[in-house]
């Protein structure tokens, strides 16, 4: 998938757990886990806004475009 969600990186930088974020943004841990593991097909702007506010970051800190030839996996 060319769009990578770096939620785990931002959580580590902010020293916050997924459950703490879940409480702050009013999104279930299961749905945040789907984002964290890059299994999400879409994300609502309201959810993205709430996550950015809670983590004090920009959408570009969470989302990254990786071209097909750029994946080193």
């Amino acid at each position: 998938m060319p769009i990578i969600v770096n939620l785990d990186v931002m959580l580590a930088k902010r020293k916050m757990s997924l459950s703490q974020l879940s409480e702050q943004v009013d999104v279930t841990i299961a749905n945040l886990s789907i984002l964290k593991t890059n299994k999400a097909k879409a994300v609502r702007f309201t959810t993205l806004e709430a996550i950015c506010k809670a983590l004090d970051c920009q959408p570009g800190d969470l989302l990254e475009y990786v071209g097909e030839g750029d994946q080193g996996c």
Side-chain angles (χ1 to χ4, degrees):
M1 177 179 259
I3 301 293
I4 305 297
V5 181
N6 292 314
L7 183 56
D8 53 344
V9 174
M10 288 307 300
L11 285 169
K13 285 182 178 179
R14 300 300 189 253
K15 297 180 180 161
M16 185 182 292
S17 70
L18 203 59
S19 59
Q20 290 172 319
L21 181 62
S22 174
E23 290 174 11
Q24 286 190 24
V25 299
D26 197 29
V27 175
T28 66
I29 293 174
N31 284 337
L32 288 175
S33 181
I34 289 169
L35 277 174
K36 184 178 167 188
T37 57
N38 287 301
K39 294 181 180 175
K41 301 279 186 206
V43 61
R44 293 177 188 257
F45 282 144
T46 54
T47 301
L48 185 59
E49 178 184 2
I51 292 171
C52 287
K53 184 176 180 181
L55 293 175
D56 189 29
C57 67
Q58 293 294 314
D61 297 327
L62 294 171
L63 304 175
E64 176 184 358
Y65 173 75
V66 179
E68 295 297 325
D70 296 340
Q71 295 180 1
C73 298

